Amino acid sequence: MNIRPRRNRKSAAIRDMISETNLGVENLIYPLFLIEGSGIKDEISSLPGNYRWSLDLLLAEIDSCIKLGIDKYVLFPVVSEDKKDKVASYSYAEDNFYLKAISEIKKHFPEVSLMSDVAMDPYSTDGHDGLVENGLILNDETLPILGKMAIAQAQAGIDIIGPSDMMDGRVAFIREALDSHNFQDVSIMSYSAKYASAFYGPFRDALDSAPKGGDKKTYQMNPANRKEALREAFLDIEEGADMLMVKPAVCYLDVISDLKSNCEVPITAYNVSGECAMIYAASANGWLDYEAAMSEMLLSIRRSGADGILTYFAKDFAALQNK
Ligand code: PBG
């Protein structure tokens, strides 16, 4: 045998030198859940190790994450039922605790990059990402609400807007709304290829945001489709998105790879709650080695072409790197 691939794997020194993929804390964005009040650290049962934090404790948590090197966060609000309505008006209300928290976090930690979620579902009594009328999810009527939400978040100091609702035309609408209010420097990371996935369950538990009727299949994508993701991606680029996201990540590595090779903007992927929950559950049962499995999952997402990864593993991965 002249050719023996194993020679290139014979020592850690050689393996490390020729590693095709590098994954570091700088690639990770850490999702955090915010709840109104103080002194609250409420564990999400389907996502162990993740909590609904009140702002006071969340600031301390971010401080400890910064010490581990995490400088990008995405923040989600847990909104009480009495603040929800059909038009998600609380999402841009003056006294909104989520908007106040954005300002506070940016004031305490100006160096971190803070990302938001722009969608109606956490604020909607229907639990849908768009306005619901006679069982239909309205598209164009939803856009002005998303615009108001984005402007309110920009005013609060958000760095990156994350439209996660999959309405048509929302990136252009939000870009125009931001620019007309002098927020040219606020970025848009669009959830371009967001699938109607079964893997969002623990997230919906965390926020109590599951749809009250029907499903999200008329706006989120069919898991069977790959080319359609490119169509959505090209549209979002044309509409002014700075970065694109694929969501979920692990079942959609082909889609991440397609977007990475066909688009000129950075690509991110959301390693969603259900994907992380599988590893938490298997590790808790002793069926998987937690650190090895989550590191391999993140590395695979990165290998498929993701520049950035939103993941609940961010803190544990960072701690592992700091060991
Ligand atoms: C809401 C939203 C969802 C997630 C992020 N933003 C849920 C959904 O679309 O129903 C899921 C994230 C996760 O599962 O970790 N627009």
Side-chain angles (χ1 to χ4, degrees), residues 20-21 253 256-257 296 298-306 309:
E20 295 176 43
T21 308
L253 297 179
I256 298 172
S257 168
E296 183 176 334
L298 294 176
L299 187 69
S300 308
I301 298 169
R302 177 99 175 102
R303 190 194 63 238
S304 74
I309 305 171

Side-chain angles (χ1 to χ4, degrees), residues 92-122:
Y92 49 87
E94 281 270 325
D95 59 345
N96 178 313
F97 71 95
Y98 177 71
L99 299 173
K100 281 190 201 154
I102 291 173
S103 306
E104 279 298 302
I105 294 168
K106 286 299 295 186
K107 199 171 86 194
H108 280 80
F109 312 109
E111 72 278 21
V112 310
S113 226
L114 197 56
M115 185 180 155
S116 69
D117 193 65
V118 168
M120 287 179 63
D121 57 331

Side-chain angles (χ1 to χ4, degrees), residues 26-298:
E26 65 275 13
N27 301 112
L28 306 183
I29 305 173
Y30 193 22
L32 296 168
F33 299 101
L34 174 78
I35 191 162
E36 200 170 11
S38 63
I40 304 172
K41 179 185 179 184
D42 179 22
E43 189 167 41
I44 300 156
S45 54
S46 50
L47 212 52
N50 293 268
Y51 304 85
R52 302 177 190 88
W53 300 93
S54 56
L55 180 60
D56 51 344
L57 300 188
L58 184 65
L59 290 171
E61 172 68 3
I62 293 177
D63 192 47
S64 75
C65 292
I66 290 174
K67 294 198 172 90
L68 292 171
I70 304 173
D71 58 5
K72 290 171 284 290
Y73 300 85
V74 55
L75 194 60
F76 295 99
V78 182
V79 181
S80 60
E81 227 26 64
D82 57 300
K83 292 199 167 68
K84 299 184 183 180
D85 61 22
K86 279 194 80 69
V87 295
S89 57
Y90 185 68
S91 65
Y92 49 87
E94 281 270 325
D95 59 345
N96 178 313
F97 71 95
Y98 177 71
L99 299 173
K100 281 190 201 154
I102 291 173
S103 306
E104 279 298 302
I105 294 168
K106 286 299 295 186
K107 199 171 86 194
H108 280 80
F109 312 109
E111 72 278 21
V112 310
S113 226
L114 197 56
M115 185 180 155
S116 69
D117 193 65
V118 168
M120 287 179 63
D121 57 331
Y123 308 96
S124 154
T125 37
D126 294 306
H128 273 288
D129 295 27
L131 276 173
V132 182
E133 205 179 271
N134 302 324
L136 295 177
I137 313 299
L138 306 183
N139 192 89
D140 300 16
E141 292 80 352
T142 298
L143 301 181
I145 298 173
L146 302 177
K148 282 187 206 165
M149 214 183 291
I151 292 164
Q153 293 174 357
Q155 277 161 348
I158 204 78
D159 298 290
I160 304 173
I161 299 273
S164 70
D165 56 290
M166 290 301 280
M167 296 299 124
D168 293 333
R170 84 257 205 238
V171 172
F173 195 97
I174 291 171
R175 185 70 270 160
E176 215 169 285
L178 290 172
D179 287 5
S180 66
H181 287 76
N182 285 322
F183 292 118
Q184 294 85 348
D185 293 335
V186 173
S187 316
I188 297 180
M189 181 193 287
S190 177
Y191 289 61
S192 300
K194 177 172 178 178
Y195 287 86
S197 169
F199 289 91
Y200 306 147
F203 176 95
R204 292 177 187 171
D205 289 345
L207 260 54
D208 193 18
S209 65
K212 300 278 154 58
D215 52 42
K216 299 194 173 186
K217 290 181 184 168
T218 66
Y219 46 107
Q220 298 181 346
M221 284 177 53
N222 179 351
N225 293 356
R226 184 167 172 175
K227 282 202 176 124
E228 194 183 346
L230 275 175
R231 187 180 191 214
E232 288 281 4
F234 293 151
L235 267 174
D236 282 354
I237 292 172
E238 236 175 76
E239 292 181 29
D242 301 287
M243 295 176 240
L244 309 183
M245 192 202 296
V246 174
K247 176 184 173 183
V250 182
C251 294
Y252 300 86
L253 297 179
D254 54 337
V255 178
I256 298 172
S257 168
D258 282 356
L259 262 60
K260 185 61 188 170
S261 26
N262 289 287
C263 303
E264 288 167 359
V265 296
I267 304 300
T268 62
Y270 200 142
N271 181 206
V272 299
S273 56
E275 298 176 328
C276 297
M278 293 192 295
I279 289 190
Y280 290 139
S283 315
N285 275 293
W287 300 337
L288 286 177
D289 174 322
Y290 174 66
E291 290 178 349
M294 66 102 168
S295 300
E296 183 176 334
M297 186 177 263
L298 294 176

